[in-house]
Amino acid sequence: MLNTLWLGFFLTAAVAALAQWLVGGNADIFSAMVQALFQMAKLSVEVMVLLFGTLTLWLGFLRIAEKAGLVDALARWLAPLFARLMPGVPRGHPSLGLITLNFAANALGLDNAATPMGLKAMKSLQELNPQPDTATNAQILFLVLNASSLTLLPVTIFMYRMQQGAPDPTLVFLPILLATSASTLVGLLSVAVVQRLPLWSPVVLAYLLPVALVLGGFMALLTTLSAAALASLSSLLGNLTLFALVVLFVVLGAWRKVPVYEAFIEGAREGFDVAKGLLPYLVAMLCAVGVFRASGALGYVLDGIRWCVTTLGADARFVDALPTALVKPFSGSAARAMLIETMQTQGVDSFAALAAATVQGSTETTFYVLAVYFGAVGIQRARHAVGCALLAELAGVVAAIVVCYRFFG
């Protein structure tokens, strides 16, 4: 799938460039494409330098939280909920702790760090699978919730915005929170309908209803604020939440007599190992996207969509953010490349860049997650996993665009 996508970028760029040369008489197009290759290669290294620090930092703090027992405590606290949503998984099964750790990494926006944890969880769930080639209900629910990617603190997106010179990297905190909540809610409801999960069970409602009420009340409050107040609140909550988590992890670890420095180094070393394997993928995708845009092919696609939108009488500013949304189901690295490229060409705080960042934080890479997670355990029959995951992804993209118009429109 990634091979096809990557090859498609270059072949489409070649066709578009030939059209510009032979039809439009633009002989400089090939020079622009070669220049884009080298510019994107340089940008990949610059992004990776900061990515090394970000992953190393947050996996270090996450390891302190793990050794302090926070992850195990969350697993025990969530056990009654998992018993209703994943009835095929016994209480106390190791997969529940791994699922919690995976969700924690996703919530912190550490999507690259969440993948190895998610693979461990999927393999643990596979041990309970009576039909190894067919996904169980528990595996499908886990995958869909992973694909919807509830992101409470998108630190990697903050990092990308900071790397591109954003005065306030956390400006998109609230928009991402609202969009990712919509994505996760639709994903959960779609799976619940198909699997007939007891969402109306008193136990499930006891967990989900307070969260829904808090989010609903929060959204109602946001509707009363001006755009300037919304941006200010998003910035305050983003920075406050970020630092509060750091303090919580460190203080809790010290209180539990965890050697916090050694634990941080252990986790940071893992973060360094995760980050160093990402550079080839980032170079590959950023260069492909750079050539695709430099050839004019991306412009043709967006112009067609923009024409359709304006013909219908709608505002077309969101169209420049669609490249991230269009490739997100297939590849996280391609979506990151599109996001970074949009920030560079449109401006880091432009409406298109803010919307693209919100889309990036609202969902996961459905087909990539499906291929990696199910492929790792040999599952060939995904059943209703793809449909539910794509529905959640669509909800996240639509919510991201709507929320950005409310915040930044």
Side-chain angles (χ1 to χ4, degrees), residues 310-389:
T310 52
T311 301
L312 295 173
D315 186 283
R317 283 180 299 161
F318 74 92
V319 173
D320 288 321
L322 287 185
T324 300
L326 293 176
V327 302
K328 190 69 192 283
F330 302 97
S331 168
S333 55
R336 283 192 295 272
M338 287 293 189
L339 169 62
I340 294 169
E341 211 271 344
T342 300
M343 288 191 289
Q344 282 218 321
T345 56
Q346 301 289 330
V348 68
D349 276 340
S350 65
F351 182 84
L354 293 170
T358 306
V359 168
Q360 177 74 3
S362 65
T363 59
E364 253 296 342
T365 49
T366 298
F367 291 110
Y368 175 78
V369 169
L370 184 79
V372 171
Y373 279 38
F374 281 174
V377 294
I379 288 176
Q380 300 175 7
R381 295 186 60 232
R383 299 169 62 208
H384 50 279
V386 177
C388 293

Side-chain angles (χ1 to χ4, degrees), residues 268-288:
R269 187 176 291 114
E270 181 183 345
F272 185 86
D273 291 337
V274 171
K276 71 181 181 182
L278 296 177
L279 181 58
Y281 301 98
L282 195 58
V283 171
M285 281 301 177
L286 270 177
C287 288

